[in-house]
Coordinates of all heavy atoms in Angstrom, one line a residue:
F11 N 26.2 -43.0 62.5 CA 27.7 -42.9 62.5 C 28.2 -41.7 61.8 O 29.2 -41.0 62.2 CB 28.3 -44.2 62.0 CG 28.4 -45.3 63.0 CD1 27.6 -46.4 63.0 CD2 29.4 -45.2 64.0 CE1 27.6 -47.3 64.0 CE2 29.4 -46.1 65.0 CZ 28.6 -47.2 65.0
F15 N 30.4 -38.8 63.4 CA 31.7 -38.4 62.7 C 31.7 -36.9 62.5 O 32.7 -36.3 62.8 CB 31.7 -39.2 61.4 CG 33.0 -39.2 60.7 CD1 34.2 -39.7 61.3 CD2 33.2 -38.6 59.4 CE1 35.4 -39.7 60.6 CE2 34.4 -38.6 58.8 CZ 35.5 -39.1 59.4
F70 N 33.2 -44.1 52.1 CA 34.4 -44.4 52.8 C 35.5 -43.5 52.4 O 36.2 -42.8 53.2 CB 34.8 -45.9 52.5 CG 36.0 -46.4 53.2 CD1 35.9 -47.2 54.4 CD2 37.3 -46.0 52.8 CE1 37.0 -47.6 55.0 CE2 38.4 -46.5 53.5 CZ 38.3 -47.3 54.6
Y94 N 45.6 -41.6 61.8 CA 44.4 -41.7 61.1 C 44.6 -42.4 59.7 O 43.8 -43.2 59.3 CB 43.8 -40.3 60.9 CG 42.5 -40.3 60.1 CD1 41.4 -41.0 60.6 CD2 42.4 -39.6 58.9 CE1 40.2 -41.0 59.9 CE2 41.2 -39.6 58.2 CZ 40.1 -40.3 58.7 OH 38.9 -40.3 58.0
L97 N 44.8 -45.9 60.2 CA 43.4 -46.4 60.4 C 42.7 -46.7 59.1 O 42.0 -47.7 58.9 CB 42.7 -45.4 61.3 CG 41.4 -45.8 61.9 CD1 41.6 -46.8 63.0 CD2 40.7 -44.6 62.5
I98 N 42.7 -45.7 58.2 CA 42.0 -45.8 56.9 C 42.5 -47.0 56.1 O 41.8 -47.8 55.7 CB 42.2 -44.5 56.1 CG1 41.6 -43.3 56.8 CG2 41.5 -44.7 54.7 CD1 42.0 -42.0 56.1
T101 N 41.8 -50.3 57.8 CA 40.4 -50.8 57.7 C 40.0 -51.1 56.2 O 39.3 -52.1 56.0 CB 39.4 -49.6 58.2 OG1 40.0 -49.0 59.3 CG2 38.1 -50.1 58.5
S104 N 41.3 -54.6 55.8 CA 40.8 -55.6 56.7 C 39.7 -56.4 56.1 O 38.9 -55.9 55.2 CB 40.4 -55.1 58.0 OG 39.3 -54.3 57.9
L107 N 35.3 -57.6 60.8 CA 35.1 -56.6 61.8 C 36.1 -56.8 62.9 O 36.6 -55.8 63.5 CB 33.7 -56.7 62.4 CG 32.6 -56.0 61.6 CD1 31.2 -56.3 62.2 CD2 32.8 -54.5 61.5
S110 N 39.3 -55.1 61.9 CA 39.1 -53.6 62.0 C 39.2 -53.2 63.5 O 39.8 -52.2 63.8 CB 37.7 -53.2 61.5 OG 37.6 -53.6 60.2
L111 N 38.6 -54.0 64.4 CA 38.7 -53.7 65.8 C 40.2 -53.7 66.3 O 40.6 -52.8 67.0 CB 37.9 -54.8 66.6 CG 37.8 -54.5 68.1 CD1 36.8 -53.4 68.3 CD2 37.3 -55.8 68.8
F112 N 40.9 -54.7 65.8 CA 42.3 -54.8 66.1 C 43.1 -53.6 65.7 O 43.9 -53.0 66.4 CB 42.9 -56.1 65.5 CG 44.4 -56.2 65.7 CD1 44.9 -56.6 66.9 CD2 45.3 -56.0 64.6 CE1 46.3 -56.7 67.1 CE2 46.6 -56.1 64.8 CZ 47.1 -56.5 66.1
I113 N 42.8 -53.1 64.4 CA 43.4 -51.9 63.9 C 43.1 -50.7 64.7 O 43.9 -49.8 65.0 CB 43.1 -51.7 62.4 CG1 43.8 -52.8 61.6 CG2 43.5 -50.4 61.9 CD1 43.1 -53.2 60.3
A114 N 41.8 -50.6 65.1 CA 41.4 -49.4 65.9 C 42.1 -49.5 67.3 O 42.6 -48.4 67.8 CB 39.9 -49.5 66.2
L115 N 42.3 -50.7 67.8 CA 43.0 -50.8 69.1 C 44.5 -50.4 69.0 O 45.0 -49.6 69.8 CB 43.0 -52.3 69.6 CG 41.9 -52.6 70.6 CD1 42.0 -54.1 70.8 CD2 42.1 -51.8 71.9
S117 N 45.7 -48.4 66.7 CA 45.7 -46.9 66.5 C 45.6 -46.2 67.9 O 46.2 -45.2 68.1 CB 44.6 -46.5 65.6 OG 44.6 -47.3 64.5
S118 N 44.7 -46.7 68.7 CA 44.4 -46.0 70.0 C 45.7 -46.1 70.9 O 46.1 -45.1 71.5 CB 43.3 -46.7 70.8 OG 42.2 -46.9 70.0
F142 N 40.7 -38.9 70.8 CA 40.5 -40.3 71.1 C 39.1 -40.8 70.6 O 39.0 -41.8 69.9 CB 40.6 -40.5 72.6 CG 40.7 -42.0 72.9 CD1 41.9 -42.7 72.7 CD2 39.7 -42.6 73.5 CE1 42.0 -44.0 73.0 CE2 39.7 -44.0 73.8 CZ 40.9 -44.7 73.6
L143 N 38.1 -39.9 70.9 CA 36.8 -40.2 70.4 C 36.7 -40.3 68.9 O 36.1 -41.2 68.3 CB 35.8 -39.2 70.9 CG 34.3 -39.4 70.7 CD1 33.9 -40.6 71.5 CD2 33.5 -38.2 71.2
F144 N 37.4 -39.3 68.3 CA 37.5 -39.3 66.8 C 38.0 -40.6 66.2 O 37.4 -41.1 65.3 CB 38.3 -38.1 66.4 CG 38.7 -38.1 64.9 CD1 37.7 -37.9 64.0 CD2 39.9 -38.5 64.5 CE1 38.0 -37.9 62.6 CE2 40.2 -38.6 63.1 CZ 39.3 -38.3 62.2
I145 N 39.1 -41.1 66.8 CA 39.7 -42.3 66.3 C 38.6 -43.5 66.4 O 38.5 -44.2 65.4 CB 40.9 -42.7 67.2 CG1 42.0 -41.7 66.8 CG2 41.4 -44.2 66.9 CD1 43.3 -42.0 67.5
W146 N 37.9 -43.5 67.4 CA 36.9 -44.7 67.6 C 35.7 -44.5 66.7 O 35.2 -45.4 66.1 CB 36.5 -44.9 69.0 CG 37.6 -45.7 69.7 CD1 38.7 -45.3 70.3 CD2 37.7 -47.1 69.5 NE1 39.5 -46.4 70.6 CE2 39.0 -47.5 70.2 CE3 37.0 -48.2 69.0 CZ2 39.4 -48.8 70.2 CZ3 37.4 -49.5 69.0 CH2 38.6 -49.8 69.7
V147 N 35.2 -43.2 66.6 CA 34.1 -43.0 65.7 C 34.5 -43.3 64.2 O 33.8 -44.0 63.5 CB 33.5 -41.6 65.8 CG1 32.5 -41.3 64.8 CG2 32.9 -41.4 67.2
A148 N 35.7 -42.7 63.9 CA 36.1 -42.9 62.5 C 36.3 -44.4 62.2 O 35.9 -45.0 61.2 CB 37.5 -42.2 62.3
A149 N 36.9 -45.2 63.2 CA 37.2 -46.6 63.0 C 35.9 -47.3 62.9 O 35.7 -48.2 62.0 CB 37.9 -47.1 64.2
S150 N 34.8 -47.0 63.7 CA 33.6 -47.7 63.6 C 32.9 -47.4 62.2 O 32.4 -48.4 61.6 CB 32.6 -47.3 64.7 OG 33.3 -47.2 65.9
L151 N 32.9 -46.1 61.8 CA 32.2 -45.8 60.5 C 33.0 -46.5 59.4 O 32.3 -47.1 58.5 CB 32.2 -44.3 60.3 CG 31.6 -43.8 59.1 CD1 30.2 -44.2 58.9 CD2 31.7 -42.3 58.9
M152 N 34.3 -46.4 59.4 CA 35.1 -47.0 58.3 C 34.9 -48.5 58.3 O 34.7 -49.1 57.2 CB 36.6 -46.8 58.5 CG 36.9 -45.3 58.5 SD 37.0 -44.7 56.8 CE 36.9 -43.0 57.0
A153 N 34.9 -49.2 59.5 CA 34.7 -50.6 59.5 C 33.4 -51.0 59.0 O 33.2 -52.0 58.2 CB 34.9 -51.1 61.0
L154 N 32.3 -50.3 59.4 CA 31.0 -50.6 58.9 C 30.9 -50.5 57.4 O 30.4 -51.4 56.7 CB 30.0 -49.6 59.6 CG 28.5 -49.8 59.3 CD1 28.0 -51.0 60.0 CD2 27.7 -48.6 59.8
L155 N 31.4 -49.4 56.9 CA 31.4 -49.2 55.4 C 32.2 -50.2 54.7 O 31.8 -50.8 53.7 CB 31.9 -47.8 55.1 CG 30.9 -46.6 55.5 CD1 31.6 -45.3 55.2 CD2 29.6 -46.7 54.7
S156 N 33.4 -50.5 55.2 CA 34.3 -51.4 54.5 C 33.7 -52.8 54.5 O 33.7 -53.5 53.5 CB 35.6 -51.3 55.2 OG 36.3 -52.5 55.0

Side-chain angles (χ1 to χ4, degrees):
F11 277 107
F15 190 63
F70 183 102
Y94 180 59
L97 191 72
I98 298 170
T101 319
S104 69
L107 280 175
S110 303
L111 185 73
F112 175 73
I113 289 155
L115 263 176
S117 312
S118 316
F142 190 75
L143 189 65
F144 167 73
I145 288 182
W146 276 93
V147 170
S150 315
L151 179 61
M152 299 280 163
L154 185 71
L155 290 174
S156 156

